Amino acid sequence: AQSVTQLDSQVPVFEEAPVELRCNYSSSVSVYLFWYVQYPNQGLQLLLKYLSGSTLVESINGFEAEFNKSQTSFHLRKPSVHISDTAEYFCAVITRDDKIIFGKGTRLHILP
Amino acid sequence: DAGVTQSPTHLIKTRGQQVTLRCSPKSGHDTVSWYQQALGQGPQFIFQYYEEEERQRGNFPDRFSGHQFPNYSSELNVNALLLGDSALYLCASSLDRGGYTFGSGTRLTVV
């Protein structure tokens, strides 16, 4: 069965510092991978996705993630975080039968 | 172009009662999935509807049921509510596997 592991439940980082949120998945077949962001008291917003092609995908607000098949990872990075990036971030994979499997989430705390 | 719309936004129910949550998919999307997100957890897949039929189901009891209408909108029904059913219920619509859009959710509190 496919699964998603987010290695850190919380990540504190100073404003304007770089950040990496880690995600590993288990799957023996090709996967579609996603990062969703959830701001306080809101639903999920798609941040970026990997379907095929270039292994480096970028979002419009400066985040990027790299699909690494050999390490079964899809880590999310941003070179300089802003206070507005405070949120919970979920890594997810779509299964062959079209279900989205989410990780448990990583809460990003931006310190002033 | 409206995204996914869910109603109501908040709801308080008593144990043993029944609840119906509603979802209107994004224009052009024909598949609706429902997720339960307990506090501090990631969303858990409940079930998925396509062409008015339940196509996939997660590990949830039969108290959880749903429906999809000809206009692709959907309802989630929960019977005999338990305290543990308190959660954020999220609806997601899609046309293909790469394009899921989530609504803002319905916050259900069971007291």
Side-chain angles (χ1 to χ4, degrees):
Chain A
Q2 291 175 299
S3 66
V4 176
T5 302
Q6 292 185 244
L7 298 168
D8 306 295
S9 59
Q10 296 189 60
V11 172
V13 61
F14 287 102
E15 196 169 12
E16 299 184 6
V19 68
E20 177 180 83
L21 307 184
R22 296 180 292 171
C23 172
N24 287 88
Y25 67 93
S26 66
S27 174
S28 59
V29 298
S30 298
V31 295
Y32 291 175
L33 292 159
F34 303 80
W35 276 99
Y36 283 88
V37 59
Q38 187 174 37
Y39 298 103
N41 299 314
Q42 294 189 27
L44 298 173
Q45 298 178 29
L46 179 65
L47 191 58
L48 45 76
K49 61 184 177 183
Y50 171 77
L51 304 180
S52 65
S54 173
T55 58
L56 184 66
V57 290
E58 300 176 350
S59 71
I60 59 173
N61 57 354
F63 283 94
E64 65 178 29
E66 186 163 18
F67 170 60
N68 188 317
K69 187 175 182 179
S70 62
Q71 297 185 7
T72 60
S73 68
F74 191 55
H75 301 332
L76 181 69
R77 302 183 183 95
K78 188 170 185 179
S80 177
V81 296
H82 187 268
I83 193 72
S84 61
D85 294 323
T86 297
E88 185 127 22
Y89 293 80
F90 293 94
C91 183
V93 61
I94 286 186
T95 66
R96 297 188 79 178
D97 54 2
D98 213 21
K99 291 182 289 189
I100 303 177
I101 306 297
F102 287 90
K104 292 187 175 181
T106 298
R107 187 170 297 278
L108 180 60
H109 289 285
I110 309 299
L111 307 172
Chain B
D1 179 25
V4 177
T5 304
Q6 292 188 242
S7 63
T9 55
H10 295 83
L11 200 54
I12 300 175
K13 289 287 189 178
T14 304
R15 277 180 299 174
Q17 285 189 314
Q18 179 265 345
V19 68
T20 297
L21 310 182
R22 295 176 176 82
C23 173
S24 294
K26 183 177 180 179
S27 177
H29 286 185
D30 59 4
T31 303
V32 174
S33 303
W34 287 91
Y35 291 80
Q36 180 196 65
Q37 185 179 17
L39 198 62
Q41 300 294 317
Q44 299 291 316
F45 175 77
I46 302 174
F47 44 51
Q48 183 182 82
Y49 277 85
Y50 173 71
E51 292 188 343
E52 302 180 51
E53 291 192 358
E54 183 181 288
R55 183 163 69 174
Q56 296 287 340
R57 189 177 183 90
N59 189 26
F60 279 80
D62 292 343
R63 297 186 298 108
F64 290 76
S65 64
H67 189 77
Q68 185 179 34
F69 299 94
N71 66 353
Y72 306 120
S73 67
S74 177
E75 289 182 349
L76 163 65
N77 300 292
V78 186
N79 294 322
L81 284 167
L82 304 174
L83 295 179
D85 295 331
S86 295
L88 179 68
Y89 288 85
L90 295 164
C91 171
S93 71
S94 63
L95 182 61
D96 53 47
R97 297 173 73 213
Y100 283 84
T101 301
F102 281 82
S104 296
T106 294
R107 174 76 61 188
L108 172 65
T109 302
V110 182
V111 297

